[in-house]
Amino acid sequence: MKPLDKIKSIIAKLKQVTESESLAIGKRAFDQVAALTAQKESLLAEFEEVAAAMEASELSEQLIAELDAIRLQAEENAAILKATAQGVREARARLKKIREAELNTGAYARGGAALRNPDASTVATKA
């Protein structure tokens, strides 16, 4: 296979993998994202190897435009994944604070025992 044909094939595969990655992110199928990322990295390494053996003049404007579109989509995917990871970290921190607050409520049952998970029905008010 000629280097230019190989580059075209790699670009087509990169486009498909990047689109699949976008779909997986949208579905929150993060287990699939990891596999697609590995596949994308392999394709990029292959691309670098083939491109290094070619002259720049062999890459058409169309191929360069396709690569730019793939790069933009990959950057968008990365930004979404980063934001999602940050959201998960923040949610975990918030849940931890809520749990700590529940343990330190200072609410007590009638017998004086500390309530770990008090609910409204066990809290009595004095008239």
Side-chain angles (χ1 to χ4, degrees):
M1 182 182 274
K2 290 191 252 182
L4 185 58
D5 292 335
K6 189 152 180 95
I7 286 286
K8 288 179 182 179
S9 173
I10 294 169
I11 289 172
K13 289 176 187 173
L14 275 170
K15 183 176 181 181
Q16 185 263 331
V17 168
T18 305
E19 288 171 354
S20 295
E21 182 182 56
S22 293
L23 291 172
I25 291 168
K27 293 177 185 175
R28 303 289 191 241
F30 298 113
D31 55 328
Q32 294 175 10
V33 173
L36 291 167
T37 298
Q39 191 176 357
K40 190 169 52 173
E41 289 172 357
S42 174
L43 287 167
L44 288 170
E46 187 180 355
F47 176 86
E48 289 293 327
E49 184 180 310
V50 175
M54 294 176 63
E55 293 187 28
S57 63
E58 291 182 78
L59 291 176
S60 69
E61 291 294 321
Q62 180 186 357
L63 288 178
I64 292 169
E66 286 181 41
L67 282 171
D68 281 342
I70 292 168
R71 180 185 51 79
L72 288 173
Q73 187 171 15
E75 287 173 357
E76 184 178 312
N77 290 351
I80 292 169
L81 287 171
K82 184 178 178 182
T84 301
Q86 181 63 32
V88 169
R89 283 191 293 275
E90 290 172 5
R92 284 183 179 161
R94 180 73 179 128
L95 287 172
K96 183 179 176 187
K97 285 183 180 181
I98 290 170
R99 277 191 226 111
E100 289 171 356
E102 284 179 349
L103 293 175
N104 298 316
T105 59
Y108 298 91
R110 287 186 186 182
L115 294 173
R116 293 290 179 203
N117 292 313
D119 65 280
S121 66
T122 60
V123 177
T125 58
K126 292 187 178 185

